[in-house]
Amino acid sequence: MIFRFMSLNCIEEPVFTTTICTGQATLSLPALYSALMRDDVEDMPAVRPHQRQALHAFLVQVGALALLKGTTTDPSLDASVWTHLLRALTYKFTHDEPWSLIVEDLSKPGFLQPPIPEGTVAPLREREQTPDSLDILVTSKNHDVKAQRMAIATPEHWFYALLTLQTTQGYLGAGNYGISRMNGGYASRPFVGLAPSNRLGARVRRDINRLLQARREVLDENSGFAAVNGIGLVWLEPWDGVSAIAPKQLDPFYVEVCRRVRLIRENARIVALRGRSRAARIAFPKNTNGVTGDPWTPVDQRETIAKVLTVDGGGFHYKRVADLLDPQQYKAALLQRWRQADGTLDHSLVLAATVRGQGGTDGFHERRIVVPTSALPFLGTRAHALASLVKERIQDAATIRARVLLTALYVLFQRAPDELKFPHAACETKAAPFLAAFDGGVDRNFFDALFDELAAPDGPAKRTARRQWIYTLKELAVLQLEAAKGATPRSGIRRYQAEGAAEDAIEFGFRKHFSMEMTHD
């Protein structure tokens, strides 16, 4: 697609495709902020799933910085006021260069593109013809999200690709350094936060307000940052690929860049040029382990040296989420914690990460867990009580899995022997898919059942909710035993004996391990 463009100035030009209550609209950045603050935005259809959290973080951090610069804490502003606030962040650049995708003067920044002090793009030797080839996703075999498909791309697509690269990318070999807000080059930047509804604007507004309210707290907990006059928009600073910015120069809400990139016009198309650097853009000490005060990142406290959460290819399964809710294991991210000012409507706990491997991407993982009103304090001041209950329920599931279901599967696969062989490699292999399916069932039911018990009004109601949970686990085990029956040979008289004995093993194991919990009041 050929575009007739000048600089693609996001302050003045409509760039962002949105679905609002009155239909489709394409908005400038100030108009987008205004619409979000009114909670009019229902969707931004050009944003790919793995880009949503990066965009959200950008809007919140820039919004908070703009309001601080403008000495106001009220985000309920119209587009003209947002225009003034955003320009105040970049007042040294009178033609909105820091908000423009294309800036021909290399001594000035483009959007997320630092000035090039050499005065030439010659050091930027790599060329990217499409925004998806610039993006964070790396798929060595092209079977996850295929690369270089976006031959017909709009400036909006370039905006999101550049944003995701510069604020979430990690180390990709010599000269390709990653961002500071992750635990090592092969880690990923996780995002964990509460959302007051499924609408984009409500969450952006809530998070901006929380950053403004908690700024003193953030500074106290991260004393290495500049309290005033720190660098907020890192791309405004010239970068020769050698120099680095020290943490003491940064505002705690800083929006970083990690790569030397410049977008240019070429035959009326956008092309990205990028080059390598000799050092990371921000020089945090190595033992920082990504602990930079990122308001969406939980901090792992299980070892002597703290480090930020790193998500692997397993994503946000219920055990990992349970760990994140335990204040003895993880310090909750600032925007993960509920406060009275957030209100008492149901919220969602949103968790997301693009998991990076060496030479590939181990998938984009996102999970949304609805948290009812009654459970919200347990994501705040009552987190320890929640962690205790979560541990009990995880142990319940582990007991059913290892001592009830697995035993029954052994009985079935060994055809009800007089003496059960335990362990048994062949049986372990056969049992694995049924145990995995049981885990999936637990994962689907875990948090709804947990919040049912938290919402119970008194002791008897809580015990009833716990019994219901244990019966749910038993039903999941029975379901997997039935599935396993269908996967075993169906000939021979021993089959019926084995199936009956396996069913008995479920009942016996359940009564043995949960007789006390099943006792009625």
Side-chain angles (χ1 to χ4, degrees):
M1 181 179 291
I2 296 176
F3 295 100
R4 306 300 178 191
F5 50 73
M6 293 297 289
S7 64
L8 299 174
N9 178 353
C10 300
I11 295 288
E12 293 187 343
E13 299 177 34
V15 173
F16 304 97
T17 306
T18 62
T19 303
I20 59 177
C21 53
T22 56
Q24 294 286 330
T26 306
L27 305 176
S28 66
L29 185 58
L32 176 62
Y33 267 111
S34 183
L36 288 168
M37 295 308 103
R38 297 192 305 271
D39 204 14
D40 284 349
V41 179
E42 297 177 354
D43 190 20
M44 297 182 69
V47 182
R48 303 169 87 186
H50 73 280
Q51 298 169 335
R52 285 193 292 250
Q53 295 302 321
L55 176 62
H56 173 78
F58 170 83
L59 291 169
V60 171
Q61 289 168 264
V62 171
L65 288 167
L67 289 166
L68 286 168
K69 187 75 171 180
T71 64
T72 177
T73 57
D74 180 13
S76 305
L77 306 168
D78 63 32
S80 63
V81 179
W82 276 107
T83 297
H84 173 76
L85 290 173
L86 294 172
R87 282 179 168 154
L89 281 178
T90 57
Y91 67 92
K92 294 180 181 178
F93 305 97
T94 56
H95 298 291
D96 293 336
E97 290 93 346
W99 306 107
S100 302
L101 287 175
I102 306 291
V103 177
E104 294 182 354
D105 185 347
L106 301 181
S107 68
K108 295 180 180 179
F111 176 70
L112 293 174
Q113 303 160 66
I116 302 175
E118 300 97 314
T120 174
V121 296
L124 311 184
R125 297 187 176 93
E126 299 175 40
R127 300 170 57 83
E128 305 294 355
Q129 303 283 351
T130 61
D132 53 332
S133 62
L134 184 68
D135 206 337
I136 184 176
L137 287 180
V138 178
T139 50
S140 56
K141 294 185 179 180
N142 264 355
H143 54 227
D144 192 14
V145 176
K146 293 188 180 296
Q148 300 188 41
R149 296 181 61 194
M150 301 178 72
I152 302 177
T154 69
E156 183 179 16
H157 294 127
W158 283 101
F159 181 101
Y160 300 139
L162 191 58
L163 175 61
T164 310
L165 170 78
Q166 295 287 42
T167 62
T168 66
Q169 183 61 286
Y171 180 76
L172 279 179
N176 293 303
Y177 292 90
I179 64 170
S180 61
R181 296 191 187 271
M182 63 170 61
N183 179 27
Y186 292 111
S188 55
R189 183 185 180 187
F191 297 90
V192 181
L194 275 179
S197 75
N198 287 327
R199 294 176 70 85
L200 305 178
R203 186 182 177 203
V204 170
R205 180 167 174 164
R206 177 259 182 186
D207 286 1
I208 288 176
N209 281 329
R210 175 58 58 80
L211 286 193
L212 296 175
Q213 295 160 3
R215 184 171 175 83
R216 186 68 262 168
E217 175 187 343
V218 173
L219 285 166
D220 289 344
E221 294 180 356
N222 302 273
S223 57
F225 291 121
V228 294
N229 299 323
I231 298 170
L233 308 182
V234 174
W235 73 88
L236 303 186
E237 304 301 313
W239 188 21
D240 58 5
V242 178
S243 61
I245 294 174
K248 65 182 180 181
Q249 298 174 265
L250 294 170
D251 187 279
F253 301 159
Y254 70 96
V255 181
E256 67 184 304
V257 293
C258 63
R259 300 292 171 81
R260 299 189 78 194
V261 179
R262 202 74 180 190
L263 301 188
I264 64 169
R265 297 187 191 92
E266 193 172 85
N267 299 323
R269 297 176 184 272
I270 299 177
V271 172
L273 304 178
R274 61 177 168 179
R276 303 189 176 200
S277 61
R278 296 183 187 177
R281 185 64 181 115
I282 299 175
F284 277 98
K286 188 174 182 180
N287 62 3
T288 301
N289 298 320
V291 181
T292 61
D294 188 353
W296 292 275
T297 302
V299 176
D300 189 341
Q301 303 177 126
R302 293 174 294 182
E303 299 178 7
T304 304
I305 299 176
K307 56 187 178 181
V308 298
L309 166 69
T310 295
V311 182
D312 60 23
F316 294 101
H317 53 76
Y318 76 96
K319 291 182 182 178
R320 173 163 289 129
V321 177
D323 288 345
L324 296 176
L325 297 178
D326 184 349
Q328 291 187 326
Q329 297 191 61
Y330 283 86
K331 180 182 177 182
L334 171 66
L335 296 174
Q336 174 189 341
R337 307 171 210 157
W338 179 81
R339 294 292 182 269
Q340 199 75 39
D342 292 332
T344 56
L345 297 176
D346 290 359
H347 284 57
S348 290
L349 181 65
V350 182
L351 310 100
T354 299
V355 178
R356 303 179 60 256
Q358 297 193 28
T361 302
D362 291 338
F364 169 68
H365 300 270
E366 183 179 57
R367 181 168 190 168
R368 289 175 175 262
I369 299 169
V370 176
V371 184
T373 298
S374 57
L376 287 173
F378 293 94
L379 272 67
T381 56
R382 301 185 65 188
H384 287 281
L386 174 64
S388 177
L389 180 57
V390 165
K391 287 177 183 176
E392 288 180 5
R393 286 172 168 257
I394 289 177
Q395 185 57 53
D396 293 339
T399 299
I400 291 283
R401 185 187 196 275
R403 300 186 181 183
V404 178
L405 175 58
L406 183 58
T407 299
L409 292 172
Y410 264 56
V411 170
L412 178 67
F413 295 145
Q414 294 181 31
R415 292 180 162 260
D418 293 333
E419 184 176 347
L420 203 61
K421 294 180 181 179
F422 223 118
H424 190 288
C427 286
E428 292 282 353
T429 301
K430 288 182 180 179
F434 304 106
L435 294 174
F438 172 82
D439 292 340
V442 174
D443 193 90
R444 288 189 295 274
N445 287 274
F446 189 86
F447 290 101
D448 286 344
L450 173 70
F451 294 142
D452 284 345
E453 183 170 345
L454 289 173
D458 52 34
K462 289 184 183 298
R463 288 190 288 274
T464 297
R466 176 162 169 76
R467 282 195 293 270
Q468 182 57 53
W469 164 243
I470 293 171
Y471 275 122
T472 297
L473 294 175
K474 180 186 177 183
E475 291 167 4
L476 291 172
V478 170
L479 182 65
Q480 291 312 310
L481 178 61
E482 290 301 315
K485 290 178 186 178
T488 55
R490 305 188 66 81
S491 59
I493 190 67
R494 295 282 294 181
R495 167 197 160 204
Y496 300 105
Q497 294 174 334
E499 290 182 356
E503 291 169 1
D504 290 343
I506 290 271
E507 294 297 331
F508 175 78
F510 186 72
R511 289 195 302 271
K512 177 182 178 180
H513 294 290
F514 293 99
S515 58
M516 293 295 294
E517 287 80 357
M518 294 300 103
T519 303
H520 293 283
D521 294 321

